[in-house]
Amino acid sequence: MNQTPLWVTFLSFFIILHTTHSLDAVVKSSLINFLSELSNNNALLNSVWNTSTDPCTDRWTGVTCNSRKNSVSRLNLTRLNLSGSFDASHLCNDQSLAASLSVIILDGNNIQGEISADISNCTQLSRLRLSQNRISGNLTGSLSLLSNLKRLDVSYNNFTGALPDLSRISGLTMFLAQYNQFTDKIPQFDFSNLRQFNVSYNDLSGPIPDTRGKFDLSSFFHNPKLCGDPLPNKCPPTPPSNLEGKKSKHVSKTRILIFSGYAVLGLLAIVFITWRICKRRKSEQKVEAVNNVESADDGNINKSKAFESRDYITGESKSELSMNSAESSLPSSSLVVLTSPVVNGLKFGELLRAPAELLGRRKNGTLYKIVLENGMNLVVKRIKDWAISSNDFKLRMQRLDQAKHPNILPALAFYCSKQEKLLVYEFQENGSLFRLLHGAQMGQAFDWARRLDIAAKISEALSFMHQELGEAGIAHGNLKSSNILFNKSMEPCISEYGLMAFDIQDSSTFANGFKCPAGAIAASSFAYKADIYGLGVILLELLTGRPMQKDGVDLTTWVHSVVREEWTVEVFDKGLISEGASEERMVHLLQVAIKCVNRSPATRPTISQVAAMINAIKEEEERSIVSEA
């Protein structure tokens, strides 16, 4: 039997080893060249991304490798203040890197430039997320060659031109392109697999393709030239054929005379009706003048000054937001503008003059949407039944303004008098978590990872506020999914923070339907525990997809009954099950939620403990995604 000489074996081993090192060097060089195109990253390059270290074993920032640590599978450089240009050629023209890279995430930076056609060489790419940058130019049609692509997010950029035809990508489940400058028609998509789709806030035109009823108005609005379902403006009828056009020219003179006669009769009828209305109004004005004289004689001359409003739902009824004449004559400085530059210089008179829409009545007051003369949309919260002095209210608002968090919606200004307490917020047009969960999903990504991210951010924001305002004892007091709003970047924000007060001296019913015996614990401590309960209910809504009350059954009662019967999987939202979300991690989050809604406030965990548990679940989820990639 022939045996391979020893020197041949060593030579082969040397060649393989040399090739491996050469390959690693090429990959490192490609990654470093890619990052070098992005400015403001010298610290990142010098500290970690350099040729003397290894992307996998030395854990380069944002780089994730496969389990064997011999290829790069994921690149996540979210919110690192990167700018410059996105040059896909450095990543996708390297054959080794292109064959292993499955995820590219560059959300929340200041990246500019265009996406080159080289992106199509990254054939294994399953996720491409470039949201919240300044990338411009056309969205390259070479994306259609990425047959493994499942999620594409290019929202909040400066893309122009037509959307590419991605109908050949049968596995695409998410396409988000809102807040760009796309034009032309919406191309055909394979809507059978798409779960998230949004092209709102562009300049698209023409008819909307048949989405099979999967996406509502919010996926297409603010495209004035679009038409067809689900938009209210219908598409114009198809132009008639040449034959029909010729026939239409031969309209008989008799028919023209008939139509002219109808037009004359209609005009006479309109003139007669207008004359009758004017006559009736004159008589009513005379009666009103007499009534005004009589009321003046009786001394009733003070009239309330109200916001002109339309009911948000019916469009007919007037709002109840009003000031008496004494208050409406107060100087404009009576409106206290907080540290936000958004409404710098806003005057109280501007609020009084602005048209208002009634958004809804809530437990502690009424909400109105107002539109200022400059076009800015604001929300005014009118608080009722709160026995707090003007000075205490002012101090509370100032303390809340000092405790700032990106996931807490701040008040922009407030007004306080003996009769009125008003708060001014920026209008959040993307709606609430309640609406997203239990109403139309707006075409937004709302899979398991998104829900878990929302849970983590809400808990972290609440933990921050509890710690910052611990001495002052200011809790939220009314935490629920309808008070979680989404800003322009679809980030969750807790709204109406600190507008509920608790009086421990009476054993009245507190938040979330539970009573606290007088003197059992401090009022502020119980208020914090009530926040924990509210957060627990939100977690249950995220997990189950059910509202707080359904068919007269309380959500917490229903969850306990199902879990008690050991049917835990039946609790979870069917959408999460069909998505293939981790049952283990959903159970872990369910256990956190159940701890939060314990009927005994004293046994509920602290908010810092809740935030730590949720973040641990989120980290476990992220590690799982990396290993699967």
Side-chain angles (χ1 to χ4, degrees):
M1 180 182 293
N2 294 330
Q3 293 184 348
T4 305
L6 186 61
W7 68 272
V8 175
T9 303
F10 278 112
L11 180 60
S12 301
F13 177 76
F14 175 77
I15 293 173
I16 295 172
L17 184 63
H18 178 73
T19 303
T20 302
H21 281 290
S22 298
L23 181 63
D24 289 344
V26 171
V27 171
K28 285 193 291 185
S29 177
S30 298
L31 289 171
I32 291 175
N33 288 337
F34 170 73
L35 192 63
S36 66
E37 297 289 339
L38 309 176
S39 60
N40 300 330
N41 56 66
N42 292 331
L44 183 61
L45 279 172
N46 295 333
S47 62
V48 182
W49 287 49
N50 57 73
T51 56
S52 63
T53 58
D54 183 83
C56 297
T57 58
D58 294 312
R59 296 184 179 181
W60 283 14
T61 302
V63 176
T64 303
C65 298
N66 65 354
S67 57
R68 294 186 297 274
K69 304 294 183 182
N70 61 1
S71 64
V72 175
S73 61
R74 184 184 177 100
L75 185 61
N76 187 345
L77 300 175
T78 303
R79 294 185 178 87
L80 292 180
N81 195 30
L82 301 176
S83 56
S85 60
F86 171 44
D87 191 346
S89 64
H90 290 305
L91 301 177
C92 302
N93 287 349
D94 182 321
Q95 187 175 1
S96 175
L97 186 57
S100 63
L101 193 61
S102 63
V103 176
I104 298 177
I105 302 177
L106 301 173
D107 293 342
N109 288 290
N110 294 306
I111 300 171
Q112 304 177 39
E114 302 181 8
I115 301 178
S116 67
D118 297 313
I119 193 72
S120 63
N121 295 328
C122 285
T123 55
Q124 299 303 311
L125 206 59
S126 63
R127 299 184 188 181
L128 179 60
R129 290 173 45 183
L130 306 173
S131 177
Q132 301 175 51
N133 282 286
R134 292 188 289 168
I135 305 175
S136 58
N138 293 336
L139 189 59
T140 175
S142 63
L143 289 169
S144 62
L145 301 176
L146 298 175
S147 58
N148 293 309
L149 192 63
K150 297 188 184 310
R151 300 185 181 185
L152 176 60
D153 186 355
V154 294
S155 59
Y156 296 92
N157 276 287
N158 297 320
F159 285 106
T160 56
L163 290 169
D165 184 358
L166 304 179
S167 58
R168 288 189 291 178
I169 308 179
S170 59
L172 193 66
T173 61
M174 179 181 80
F175 180 75
L176 302 180
Q178 65 269 29
Y179 288 94
N180 279 284
Q181 300 168 37
F182 287 114
T183 56
D184 211 339
K185 297 181 180 180
I186 300 176
Q188 289 295 331
F189 284 84
D190 185 355
F191 286 102
S192 60
N193 288 321
L194 274 171
R195 293 200 298 267
Q196 296 96 37
F197 182 83
N198 199 325
V199 293
S200 58
Y201 290 93
N202 282 286
D203 193 24
L204 298 168
S205 59
I208 294 176
D210 182 11
T211 66
R212 305 182 184 182
K214 295 182 66 173
F215 303 105
D216 66 359
L217 169 66
S218 58
S219 294
F220 304 97
F221 61 14
H222 284 274
N223 286 282
K225 301 174 186 176
L226 278 182
C227 61
D229 292 333
L231 294 176
N233 49 314
K234 303 303 178 183
C235 294
T238 305
S241 63
N242 292 335
L243 181 61
E244 292 174 347
K246 290 179 180 178
K247 289 182 179 179
S248 63
K249 295 180 180 179
H250 298 285
V251 180
S252 66
K253 294 182 178 180
T254 304
R255 185 173 296 180
I256 294 176
L257 291 175
I258 292 175
F259 289 151
S260 300
Y262 287 151
V264 172
L265 290 176
L267 182 61
L268 291 175
I270 292 173
V271 172
F272 177 75
I273 293 173
T274 304
W275 174 74
R276 293 285 296 176
I277 291 174
C278 292
K279 186 176 181 180
R280 179 177 296 180
R281 282 185 177 177
K282 288 182 179 180
S283 61
E284 289 176 352
Q285 288 174 356
K286 291 180 180 180
V287 173
E288 184 179 356
V290 173
N291 291 337
N292 288 339
V293 172
E294 293 175 352
S295 61
D297 292 340
D298 293 335
N300 298 324
I301 59 173
N302 289 330
K303 300 292 181 181
S304 62
K305 187 171 184 179
F307 282 85
E308 298 176 359
S309 88
R310 297 176 183 172
D311 188 272
Y312 187 74
I313 300 174
T314 66
E316 295 176 356
S317 63
K318 294 290 183 179
S319 72
E320 299 173 354
L321 184 57
S322 62
M323 312 290 169
N324 61 38
S325 58
E327 289 178 358
S328 63
S329 62
L330 288 175
S332 59
S333 60
S334 59
L335 179 71
V336 180
V337 177
L338 297 169
T339 55
S340 172
V342 178
V343 292
N344 190 27
L346 179 66
K347 303 299 182 182
F348 185 63
E350 294 181 67
L351 294 181
L352 291 179
R353 292 191 299 269
E357 292 178 349
L358 177 64
L359 295 180
R361 295 178 175 86
R362 299 190 177 183
K363 182 177 181 180
N364 61 337
T366 309
L367 286 174
Y368 302 87
K369 176 186 174 182
I370 68 169
V371 183
L372 299 181
E373 293 180 355
N374 61 5
M376 181 185 297
N377 293 327
L378 300 176
V379 170
V380 175
K381 171 83 173 186
R382 182 190 186 191
I383 305 174
K384 66 176 183 179
D385 302 330
W386 192 1
I388 182 174
S389 67
S390 298
N391 185 59
D392 289 343
F393 180 77
K394 179 179 180 180
L395 293 175
R396 171 178 283 240
M397 292 303 105
Q398 290 173 342
R399 267 197 65 82
L400 288 172
D401 185 58
Q402 293 171 0
K404 294 184 181 298
H405 190 278
N407 296 111
I408 300 291
L409 184 67
L412 304 180
F414 67 89
Y415 169 86
C416 184
S417 68
K418 292 182 180 179
Q419 288 77 18
E420 292 287 351
K421 293 179 179 65
L422 305 177
L423 281 172
V424 180
Y425 295 93
E426 187 174 2
F427 178 69
Q428 306 300 315
E429 60 189 12
N430 283 326
S432 67
L433 178 60
F434 180 90
R435 177 182 168 190
L436 187 59
L437 268 171
H438 313 304
Q441 289 200 7
M442 304 167 59
Q444 299 292 342
F446 209 52
D447 53 10
W448 164 241
R450 176 68 172 139
R451 299 190 195 200
L452 187 56
D453 180 66
I454 290 173
K457 288 177 178 177
I458 294 173
S459 62
E460 289 175 353
L462 200 60
S463 176
F464 172 83
M465 297 298 282
H466 280 198
Q467 293 172 7
E468 285 292 308
L469 303 172
E471 296 180 1
I474 301 179
H476 186 284
N478 192 27
L479 189 65
K480 53 187 178 180
S481 58
S482 60
N483 278 334
I484 307 298
L485 305 180
F486 292 99
N487 61 20
K488 294 179 180 179
S489 302
M490 283 305 292
E491 288 291 309
C493 294
I494 302 176
S495 67
E496 300 189 22
Y497 196 97
L499 303 189
M500 294 285 289
F502 298 95
D503 185 4
I504 201 65
Q505 299 305 319
D506 62 13
S507 57
S508 58
T509 301
F510 287 92
N512 309 309
F514 288 95
K515 292 184 178 181
C516 179
I521 50 177
S524 60
S525 176
F526 177 80
Y528 289 145
K529 293 296 184 180
D531 281 356
I532 301 298
Y533 184 94
L535 178 60
V537 172
I538 292 174
L539 296 180
L540 292 180
E541 290 184 67
L542 288 169
L543 286 165
T544 66
R546 291 170 59 104
M548 179 60 180
Q549 291 286 339
K550 183 176 181 180
D551 301 327
V553 179
D554 180 79
L555 176 59
T556 58
T557 303
W558 178 77
V559 169
H560 279 108
S561 66
V562 175
V563 173
R564 189 165 49 247
E565 297 295 333
E566 299 183 355
W567 297 340
T568 304
V569 178
E570 298 298 322
V571 166
F572 302 128
D573 190 340
K574 295 296 187 294
L576 298 179
I577 299 296
S578 61
E579 172 197 331
S582 169
E583 181 180 331
E584 179 183 3
R585 286 183 282 279
M586 287 195 293
V587 169
H588 288 166
L589 188 61
L590 177 63
Q591 292 170 344
V592 176
I594 291 176
K595 290 178 181 178
C596 292
V597 297
N598 193 300
R599 297 185 67 85
S600 172
T603 59
R604 297 170 195 164
T606 64
I607 186 58
S608 58
Q609 292 172 333
V610 174
M613 289 186 285
I614 296 177
N615 277 315
I617 298 171
K618 183 181 177 183
E619 291 173 2
E620 184 181 353
E621 175 72 16
E622 291 174 347
R623 286 196 298 269
S624 174
I625 294 175
V626 170
S627 63
E628 290 174 359

